[in-house]
Amino acid sequence: MSAGNFYIRFRTLYPHQPPGRRVNRWVIGCLALLLASLLLALWLFLYLKSQERPYVEIKGQRIASGESFESFLRNGNNRERVQALSHYLSSQGLGKVVPVSNLLRQGGEWLELKEPPFAIPPQDQWQNITNTLALLRDQIIPLIGPVDVVSAFRSDSYNRKLEHSDRARHRDFCALDLIPKSNISHRELVEELRTLHARLGPESNLGLGLSDGVRFHIDTCGYRIW
C-alpha cells in the first residue's frame, strides 16, 4: 500500500479529527499498550518467583509459606483432618500455643528431600504433643518470648531421609524444632535453656537439643540434653 493510499484510509477512519488530535490518540494508545505490557511482565515475574520459592526465610531457616499450606489443605480431606486436630488441641487447652499449621511443618529440607512441606500425624499420636506444647507455653515462651516452629511432625518417608539423631521424636509427634522471634543471641539462648533444663529436672522429661545458631529442639519424651 502506497503512502498516499494509507493517508486516504486514515482520513476516512478519522474524517473530523484535526491532525494534532489524531497524533495524540496514537500516542495515548501506544503508552497504554506499553503500560499494560509492563504490568503483565511484572505479574508474570512475581508469579514465577512465587513458584520458585514456596517458602519464607526466617533467621536462616526456610519455612513453608501460607500459600503452600492452603494448597496442602485443598488435597483430599486434609482440611477436615486439620480441623479435627485443631479441635482436639483446643479441648486440651492448647489451641493457642502455636497455630496448628505450624505443627504440621516437616522441616526446612523438604525441597531437597522431594517431600511435602506438611504432614498430618495419625490421630493416635495427637496426645504425644500435648506435654510438649504445655511446656512450651508454660516454660519456654515466658523465658525467651514467642517462637516460630521450623519442624514438628514428620512422616516416615520424610524421617527416613534424615540423619538427625533424635528424628524418632518428630515421627512420634512429640518434638518441636523452634527459633525465637526475638533478637536473643545464641549465647544468651543457650544459657537460658540450659538453666531451665537443669531447673526442671528429670521429672519434666525435657529433651533439649541446641545448635550453633538459634534453632533448638524440645520434646517431652525423655530427659536429656545435647
Side-chain angles (χ1 to χ4, degrees):
M1 180 183 293
S2 67
N5 289 338
F6 177 82
Y7 178 73
I8 292 171
R9 186 174 181 182
F10 186 83
R11 289 286 304 271
T12 302
L13 292 173
Y14 304 98
H16 305 299
Q17 296 290 336
R21 187 171 299 175
R22 291 185 218 130
V23 172
N24 288 340
R25 289 173 65 94
W26 277 97
V27 171
I28 293 172
C30 291
L31 289 175
L33 182 60
L34 178 61
L35 179 60
S37 299
L38 290 174
L39 291 174
L40 178 61
L42 178 61
W43 174 85
L44 184 60
F45 172 77
L46 294 175
Y47 173 77
L48 292 175
K49 291 297 290 183
S50 68
Q51 295 297 105
E52 291 173 5
R53 296 186 55 178
Y55 60 86
V56 294
E57 289 191 7
I58 302 178
K59 297 186 178 181
Q61 303 295 321
R62 291 191 308 188
I63 295 178
S65 65
E67 292 80 4
S68 297
F69 184 65
E70 285 299 319
S71 177
F72 172 77
L73 290 179
R74 289 192 289 269
N75 291 332
N77 65 341
N78 285 351
R79 189 177 300 275
E80 290 76 14
R81 295 170 64 199
V82 171
Q83 288 175 347
L85 173 58
S86 180
H87 292 156
Y88 170 78
L89 293 175
S90 295
S91 72
Q92 303 299 307
L94 300 167
K96 296 183 179 180
V97 181
V98 294
V100 66
S101 59
N102 294 13
L103 298 177
L104 309 182
R105 292 172 176 165
Q106 299 210 74
E109 314 92 339
W110 85 92
L111 290 173
E112 292 85 351
L113 299 179
K114 294 181 173 55
E115 289 287 331
F118 302 97
I120 304 173
Q123 189 168 354
D124 61 3
Q125 292 183 346
W126 291 0
Q127 63 180 354
N128 296 347
I129 199 64
T130 55
N131 288 337
T132 305
L133 286 175
L135 184 140
L136 176 62
R137 178 195 61 196
D138 300 336
Q139 302 292 342
I140 303 293
I141 292 177
L143 184 67
I144 66 171
V147 296
D148 271 315
V149 179
V150 178
S151 176
F153 175 70
R154 295 177 188 151
S155 66
D156 286 337
S157 175
Y158 194 103
N159 216 39
R160 282 194 297 268
K161 297 177 181 179
L162 296 177
E163 298 179 355
H164 299 173
S165 60
D166 219 49
R167 60 185 183 176
R169 309 301 180 181
H170 288 273
R171 181 197 60 203
D172 297 337
F173 198 35
C174 182
L176 300 172
D177 286 354
L178 306 164
I179 50 174
K181 292 185 178 181
S182 68
N183 291 324
I184 188 171
S185 67
H186 165 74
R187 179 177 180 180
E188 183 181 0
L189 177 68
V190 169
E191 289 177 354
E192 294 282 9
L193 293 177
R194 283 186 177 275
T195 300
L196 176 68
H197 186 265
R199 176 169 61 82
L200 294 180
E203 61 273 15
S204 67
N205 282 326
L206 171 57
L208 175 64
L210 302 168
S211 68
D212 293 336
V214 293
R215 176 171 175 167
F216 64 99
H217 166 110
I218 64 167
D219 65 62
T220 50
C221 294
Y223 185 74
R224 64 215 183 284
I225 187 170
W226 68 97

